[in-house]
Amino acid sequence: MTDARLSSPAALRNRDPILAVLRSVLPTTGTVLEIASGSGEHIVHFARALPILTWQPSDPSEAARGSIAAWLAAEAPANVLPPLDVDASAHDWPVTAADAVLAINMVHISPWAATLGLLAGAARLLPPGGPLFLYGPYRRGGEPTAPSNIAFDADLKARDPAWGIRDLDSVAAAADTLGLSLDHVVDMPANNLSVVFTRR
């Protein structure tokens, strides 16, 4: 590709397993806000598979938003809105409501403040019963879900000490204080988890 489109091998590998979970999690109609959309490959794929939903990508990175816009120009999905500049850790987002919120591979590749901001933003935007879907590696009971995640966590922290694989109990406790209840957890390929919260 010679345009602004970026491509993530991980996104190509995990998009179908994630989609299988989303089919049972997302509402049948409404707007799905994706936080930290990255290259844009996930949202284009999901929008094609679930065409009745309206999809709103976002990312704080200008390069990522350029990639999302380029993917939208190339694929021309009618149900995806232009990407927004959303910093999850900011108090004010340029969005007033969403029927579902997604964040894929964000929680471990960002400071803890971004996770807290993501949870607070979802609590503000979602209606009662609305889902917040998270995907990525987590610690459970204080331990990594697999030995390979120990090395991955060390690599993340070497890149940025504020990054790292989070403990799911800590995420769930923070979510609970904001009115988000942990609904269920799905084991995924490559030692990842799909984590679903719902707005009370």
Side-chain angles (χ1 to χ4, degrees):
M1 293 177 292
T2 58
D3 55 27
R5 281 178 290 173
L6 304 174
S7 185
S8 165
L12 297 177
R13 287 194 303 270
N14 63 33
R15 62 185 185 180
D16 284 321
I18 292 173
L19 176 60
V21 178
L22 291 180
R23 288 185 185 278
S24 66
V25 168
L26 296 180
T28 54
T29 61
T31 298
V32 180
L33 170 64
E34 184 181 29
I35 299 296
S37 296
S39 68
E41 292 169 289
H42 276 138
I43 206 160
V44 168
H45 184 68
F46 301 156
R48 186 184 302 116
L50 300 168
I52 296 176
L53 291 166
T54 298
W55 298 81
Q56 175 63 74
S58 73
D59 204 284
S61 162
E62 184 176 354
R65 294 194 304 274
S67 176
I68 297 164
W71 277 108
L72 297 184
E75 301 290 330
N79 57 330
V80 183
L81 302 171
L84 296 175
D85 181 358
V86 176
D87 177 355
S89 63
H91 178 71
D92 294 318
W93 294 0
V95 188
T96 57
D99 298 288
V101 177
L102 313 180
I104 297 168
N105 284 331
M106 185 207 100
V107 169
H108 59 289
I109 314 180
S110 60
W112 177 240
T115 296
L116 296 178
L118 168 67
L119 297 173
R124 288 194 307 272
L125 269 58
L126 290 171
L132 167 63
F133 173 89
L134 307 180
Y135 171 89
Y138 288 89
R139 296 177 181 271
R140 303 189 79 174
E143 297 296 327
T145 55
S148 61
N149 281 345
I150 298 174
F152 184 40
D153 185 55
D155 177 68
L156 289 169
K157 290 175 177 173
R159 291 158 61 188
D160 189 322
W163 295 1
I165 297 177
R166 310 299 177 189
D167 186 80
L168 184 56
D169 289 342
S170 298
V171 176
D176 187 65
T177 66
L178 295 164
L180 298 166
S181 298
L182 180 60
D183 189 273
H184 63 283
V185 178
V186 181
D187 290 319
M188 302 293 286
N191 305 310
N192 291 301
L193 300 175
S194 286
V195 182
V196 183
F197 295 92
T198 55
R199 182 74 170 93
R200 292 198 292 272

